[in-house]
Amino acid sequence: MKVLVIGGNSFIAQGIESYLSTQGIGLIRVERSVLDITDEVQIEQFCNNPLLPTYDAILFAQGINPSLSTKETTAEHLLAMLKVNIMGPVLLLKHLFPRMNPQGNVIFFSSVAAEKGSYDPGYAASKAAIQGMINSFANEFQTMRFNAIALGLVENSPVFNQMTPDFLQKHRDRMHQGTLVQLEHIAAVVNFLLTIEILNRSIIPLTSGFR
């Protein structure tokens, strides 16, 4: 199975690669230095490369962390959120679809913020839009599958490492028995989505019951 990973240098992409390799799943990680997901010209050039293989799946692991509250936000920040989480994936699939396995599938990372909200409304809104995006993809590309994983706070992630001890404890208090999401949990769910063919249009909560 050939899985294209967009945002290959991200914390999640690097963390789950070793786990998936033990399941016989090879990831083809594409870093931002190779492909800027917000640049359609780069996307088109990448997808037109005649040496590209036929991909069985795409894993969108690119990300942009929440950073600005409503009182701090700017039009530039809001547009950046949409470009990374929505515009980029739509444009990539537009150009890469001819190079995809017709029975392949696509996996996104959403967030608990899509349901609960975030101090950064642009981040929460762009993550919430993923549901409508995957349903639209599923309507158009009917032989393929489209799913997402909604993540809670992931231990040792960049967001985790930026939190003050007090703010981190507030998150722990809202998660089941104070348990944060682990990379191996994410890898196991990705493996599940790649191999269980009945799942489509699903948003799987991996949030440790965040409330």
Side-chain angles (χ1 to χ4, degrees):
M1 180 182 293
K2 290 184 173 62
V3 182
L4 176 66
V5 183
I6 303 300
N9 58 334
S10 70
F11 172 77
I12 289 176
Q14 294 181 75
I16 67 176
E17 183 175 26
S18 59
Y19 177 95
L20 291 176
S21 66
T22 66
Q23 310 300 311
I25 297 174
L27 302 184
I28 304 171
R29 294 195 288 122
V30 177
E31 300 183 3
R32 184 171 182 179
S33 59
V34 176
L35 175 62
D36 182 352
I37 192 69
T38 67
D39 185 333
E40 187 173 9
V41 173
Q42 284 195 34
I43 290 173
E44 189 168 8
Q45 290 173 345
F46 174 83
C47 295
N48 287 338
N49 183 346
L51 299 179
L52 288 185
T54 296
Y55 294 111
D56 299 298
I58 306 174
L59 177 63
F60 282 100
Q62 83 288 355
I64 179 169
N65 293 331
S67 59
L68 298 178
S69 69
T70 303
K71 294 178 181 179
E72 301 167 323
T73 200
T74 64
E76 182 181 15
H77 174 75
L78 295 172
L79 183 59
M81 286 291 179
L82 288 173
K83 281 184 174 181
V84 169
N85 291 320
I86 302 299
M87 294 169 62
V90 172
L91 293 173
L92 183 75
L93 190 59
K94 168 188 173 181
H95 293 289
L96 194 61
F97 176 70
R99 308 299 293 268
M100 289 289 296
N101 178 342
Q103 306 298 321
N105 74 80
V106 182
I107 300 171
F108 300 91
F109 285 109
S110 183
S111 168
V112 66
E115 180 182 354
K116 299 294 185 181
S118 166
Y119 72 91
D120 186 332
Y123 175 82
S126 66
K127 290 297 187 180
I130 289 174
Q131 177 72 79
M133 182 173 64
I134 67 173
N135 283 335
S136 300
F137 285 155
N139 290 340
E140 185 171 357
F141 306 105
Q142 296 186 11
T143 64
M144 296 175 63
R145 296 186 293 115
F146 300 88
N147 297 288
I149 303 170
L151 295 176
L153 182 60
V154 181
E155 190 161 16
N156 296 321
S157 66
V159 173
F160 171 94
N161 290 329
Q162 291 172 4
M163 287 184 172
T164 64
D166 288 348
F167 197 53
L168 177 58
Q169 188 58 49
K170 288 181 180 179
H171 268 72
R172 288 188 182 276
D173 291 344
R174 298 178 69 183
M175 301 173 84
H176 178 63
Q177 296 185 340
T179 304
L180 302 182
V181 180
Q182 307 295 317
L183 281 173
E184 55 264 34
H185 301 155
I186 301 171
V189 175
V190 169
N191 182 52
F192 182 73
L193 287 172
L194 288 172
T195 55
I196 303 299
E197 296 183 357
I198 195 171
L199 286 172
N200 193 24
R201 302 175 184 252
S202 299
I203 305 287
I204 297 180
L206 196 59
T207 61
S208 195
F210 188 86
R211 63 190 187 279

